[in-house]
């Protein structure tokens, strides 16, 4: 029914018209018709009450009429479509009439006065005043006031502190005094607190049997029961449809949202929208908020920012703070309607009205502005926590964890806040408490498998895919559960399929490594692709890695480099490493570029990647761009502190093979670093050298031989050389020239000059191998040409004696001279004697 253009004019017309008629007769007609959802009839009833008050004719029938006007949200149905001017008149007139009923000693008017203020639009609500009316009504023993006050106490609503015992007592007293709606409040207490479904259903059915009129029956609770507690969609639909027939707005709301979220089938989305619109008209204000959210977040053809704004504006009118926040976010972030000033005004408005969600959103803005306002964000989150918000402790915990507050991360404070968030039921808090129990609050803090799994299961019950991944890690590591790769894989798979795209990476690793069956690189690549398509950076990197190392696809350097470059746009450390190595090795047609190698590797090193820190140290050590041992040691120590054993080896080399790099060499320090690397299973020749010569430890040739052997088996060229010399000279083992030649030749083939020298001599002498003078001379000459003094001296001997070459004293003296110039003592004696003969 269309409302009058100007309500005040229509009201005055009715007032004049009814002034000439019998108030009693007109009142009786309205009471018999019981049609207070007819807006003309409702307004007529209000006028009759006004007239009766003016003429001092407040009879029992007028009181009944007055009560009917506010029953079943009829007053809200009348006012929902009013414009600002008409609403102002409507509200003031209702206040005036209610106050006059109070003056006429009708206690029931106190509860209606409270309700009008409770459901009022901005700026008419007055919490302090409404509570005052409610408490005065209780003093006058109005049972309706008792029931509402008791309900507020029981569920801690409208600013009351929770007191379930007292709350229930007030409702029960209201029932004793004959308040017809007290049973409804008691039914809600049972519905929202009882855990036995049979008792809940029994209470609903008993309540419905006791109601005289169909419209008074609790169809909406019956529908909710079957939807959410029994998950019986058909029975739920049946109950809700029945309630809609009798104008139950909550049934419209419940069925509407379940149609729009696809839980109830057999309806068109427009039917769900229409039901929510009807619910809003009947005073279910959160239907407007739900429509606002639906129009904004839906992915179907009904998506409309304009309609979202329209409905959120309607909800906002009735102090629905969540709609204020939604409007703020739309204006702040939605390009098509962006209005930063308006968005900030709405957000600040919601903060002022103590919307905890607004406080957390505002804190996010403060943290992400050009100059972060850490203190402002912290205060907002602390206020939201004080107001009982469950998300704010999580957000503040993140700030402590990142070190935003204070100079360093405070993991204990973060954990404490995550616990508070979890206690308040927030899924993120539950997830992170579980995570902290899995990894330990700090490295020094012991993890707690039992508690970790308990929290992960809690989060999974709330629908957390993150917790499934965390629980999968537990099965992967045998943490608190028996190690089971299949269970871990299944959890990763479920999480991935439910939208947690990171989990596709884990599926890929499982397929690549064959942890749950045969290796399947094709499936691994498919999983990495899905992660990448979902925008996961690690997935993008893994696609690049797959193209480089031919994991499930043919090698494609161009696509490998392309994906690595995509990943570094998001600052992904592993991708920086791969690009650095690609420029270093000229992979994929890239030209060697020392600057880019250092730049990319440095990016990963600064992110804390131990391998990258080692490589940066290595580059400074060997002079990729500049040789700087101080910087080299700095980065190598960072890598070593993160547990990278190869950094320890290079630091050991720095101290062992000083080569004048230190004014006061500290050779003994080498041992501790080599030992640290050995404890992680990484062994070069260094530890053996320390034992052979007693550097940093007692001399022990047996230990030297052991570590030369281990280092050689690990593939270290220098260790192969040292092992060869150990066999040659019987260091820590019996002399064995065949083994000596075998290991020395391996080292020689890998470019070890000293090993080439020894194998050349052994070939010339037939020591440990068949004599081969020609091969020996070729190899000895090659080494001598590197300015190797011993090789030059021995080659001189060969020419002098004609061993493997034609005897040639001139060439012999040439090589002796070269050896002498390179510091060979015997060669100096020889060349010195010749020089004296010349004089």
């Amino acid at each position: 029914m269309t409302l009058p253009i100007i309500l005040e004019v229509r009201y005055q017309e009715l007032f004049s018209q009814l002034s000439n008629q019998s108030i009693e007769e007109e009142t009786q007609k309205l009471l018999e018709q019981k049609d207070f959802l007819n807006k003309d009839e409702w307004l007529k009833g209000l006028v009759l009450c006004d007239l009766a008050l003016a003429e001092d004719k407040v009879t029992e029938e007028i009181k009944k009429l007055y009560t009917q006007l506010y029953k079943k949200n009829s007053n809200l149905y009348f006012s929902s479509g009013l414009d600002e001017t008409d609403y102002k008149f409507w509200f003031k007139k209702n206040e005036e009439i209610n106050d006059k009923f109070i003056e006429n000693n009708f206690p029931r008017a106190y509860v209606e006065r409270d309700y009008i203020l409770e459901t009022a639009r901005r700026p008419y609500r007055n919490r302090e005043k409404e509570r005052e009316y409610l408490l005065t009504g209780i003093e006058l023993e109005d049972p309706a006031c008792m029931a509402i006050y008791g309900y507020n106490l029981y569920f801690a609503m409208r600013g009351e502190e929770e007191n379930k015992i007292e709350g229930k007592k007030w409702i029960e007293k209201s029932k004793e005094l004959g308040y017809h709606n007290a049973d409804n409040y008691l039914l809600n207490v049972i519905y929202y607190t009882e855990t036995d479904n049979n008792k809940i259903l029994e209470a609903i059915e008993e309540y419905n049997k006791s109601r005289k009129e169909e419209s008074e029956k609790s169809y909406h609770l019956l529908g909710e029961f079957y939807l959410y507690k029994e998950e019986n969609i058909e029975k739920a639909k049946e109950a809700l449809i029945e309630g809609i027939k009798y104008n139950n707005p909550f049934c419209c709301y419940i069925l509407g949202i379940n149609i729009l979220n696809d839980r109830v089938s057999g309806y068109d989305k427009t039917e769900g929208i229409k039901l929510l619109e009807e619910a809003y008209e009947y005073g279910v204000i959160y239907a407007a908020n739900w429509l606002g959210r639906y129009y904004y977040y839906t992915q179907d053809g009904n998506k409309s920012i304009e309609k979202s704004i329209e409905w959120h504006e309607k909800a906002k009118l009735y102090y629905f703070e969540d709609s204020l926040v939604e409007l703020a976010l739309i204006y702040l972030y939605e390009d098509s309607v962006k209005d930063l000033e308006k968005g900030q005004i709405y957000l600040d408005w919601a903060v002022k009205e103590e919307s905890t969600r607004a406080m957390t959103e505002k804190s996010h803005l403060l943290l992400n502005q050009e100059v972060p306002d850490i203190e402002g964000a912290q205060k907002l989150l602390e206020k939201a926590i004080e107001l009982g918000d469950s998300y704010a402790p999580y957000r503040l915990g993140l700030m402590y964890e990142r070190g935003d507050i204070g100079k360093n991360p405070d993991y204990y404070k973060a954990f404490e806040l995550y616990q508070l968030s979890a206690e308040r039921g927030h899924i993120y808090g539950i997830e992170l408490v579980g995570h902290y129990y899995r990894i330990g609050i700090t490295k020094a803090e012991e993890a707690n498998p039992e508690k970790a799994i308990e929290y992960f299961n809690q989060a999974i019950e709330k629908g957390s895919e993150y917790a499934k991944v965390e629980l999968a890690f537990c099965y992967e590591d045998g943490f608190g559960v028996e190690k089971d790769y299949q269970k871990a894989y299944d959890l990763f798979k479920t999480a991935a399929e439910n939208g947690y795209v990171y989990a596709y990476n884990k599926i890929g690793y499982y397929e690549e490594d064959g942890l749950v069956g045969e290796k399947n690189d094709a499936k691994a690549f498919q999983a990495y692709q899905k992660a990448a398509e979902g925008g996961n950076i690690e997935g993008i990197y893994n696609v690049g890695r797959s193209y480089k190392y031919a994991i499930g696809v043919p090698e494609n350097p161009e696509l490998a480099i392309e994906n690595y470059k995509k990943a570094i746009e998001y600052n992904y450390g592993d991708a920086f490493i791969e690009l650095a190595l690609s420029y270093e090795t000229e992979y994929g047609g890239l030209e060697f570029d020392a600057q880019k190698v250092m730049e990319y590797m440095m990016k990963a090193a600064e992110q804390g990647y131990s391998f990258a820190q080692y490589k940066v140290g290595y580059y400074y050590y060997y002079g990729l761009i500049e040789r700087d041992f101080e910087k080299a040691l700095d980065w190598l120590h960072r890598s070593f502190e993160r547990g990278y054993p190869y950094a320890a080896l290079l630091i050991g080399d720095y101290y062992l093979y000083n080569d004048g790099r230190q004014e006061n060499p500290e050779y003994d320090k080498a041992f501790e670093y080599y030992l640290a690397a050995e404890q992680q299973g990484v062994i070069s020749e260094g530890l053996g050298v320390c034992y052979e010569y007693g550097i940093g430890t007692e001399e022990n040739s047996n230990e030297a031989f052991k570590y030369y052997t281990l280092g050689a088996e690990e593939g270290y060229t220098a260790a192969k050389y040292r092992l060869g010399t150990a066999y040659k000279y019987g260091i820590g083992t019996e002399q064995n020239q065949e083994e000596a030649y075998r290991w020395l030749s391996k080292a020689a083939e890998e470019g070890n000059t000293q090993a080439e020298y020894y194998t050349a001599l052994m070939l010339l002498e037939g020591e440990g191998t068949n004599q081969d003078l020609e091969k020996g001379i070729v190899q000895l000459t090659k080494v001598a040409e590197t300015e190797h003094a011993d090789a030059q001296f021995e080659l001189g001997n060969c020419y002098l004696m004609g061993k493997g070459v034609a005897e040639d004293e001139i060439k012999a003296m040439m090589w002796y001279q070269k050896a002498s110039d390179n510091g060979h003592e015997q060669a100096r004696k020889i060349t010195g004697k010749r020089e004296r003969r010349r004089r």
Side-chain angles (χ1 to χ4, degrees), residues 261-276:
N261 66 19
D262 296 317
R263 190 168 186 191
V264 174
S265 59
Y267 292 89
D268 186 86
K269 292 289 176 75
T270 54
E271 293 177 86
I273 292 169
K274 185 180 177 184
L275 285 166
L276 287 177

Side-chain angles (χ1 to χ4, degrees), residues 78-96:
F78 180 88
S79 66
S80 64
L82 297 178
D83 65 19
E84 189 175 342
T85 301
D86 285 348
Y87 186 85
K88 182 178 180 180
F89 171 78
W90 173 88
F91 184 81
K92 294 297 182 185
K93 181 55 68 176
N94 275 269
E95 274 197 319
E96 178 190 318

Side-chain angles (χ1 to χ4, degrees), residues 11 79 376 632 815:
Y11 190 88
S79 66
W815 285 109

Side-chain angles (χ1 to χ4, degrees), residues 619-632:
Y619 295 150
Y620 278 120
Y621 192 96
Y622 290 107
L624 176 68
I625 295 173
E626 61 171 319
R627 199 167 196 189
D628 188 322
F629 291 113
E630 187 177 340
K631 287 181 180 177

Side-chain angles (χ1 to χ4, degrees), residues 117-158:
L117 288 168
E118 161 63 17
T119 57
R121 290 183 187 176
R122 300 173 190 276
Y124 303 100
R125 181 182 289 178
N126 186 324
R127 290 286 192 197
E128 196 173 310
K129 205 170 181 182
E130 63 185 75
R131 190 172 189 273
E132 184 184 316
Y133 279 114
L134 203 60
L135 294 177
T136 305
I138 290 172
E139 285 177 15
L140 296 172
E141 295 196 339
D142 175 60
C145 289
M146 293 176 184
I148 291 174
Y149 179 66
Y151 195 76
N152 292 340
L153 280 176
Y154 195 92
F155 289 106
M157 295 170 64
R158 290 165 64 177

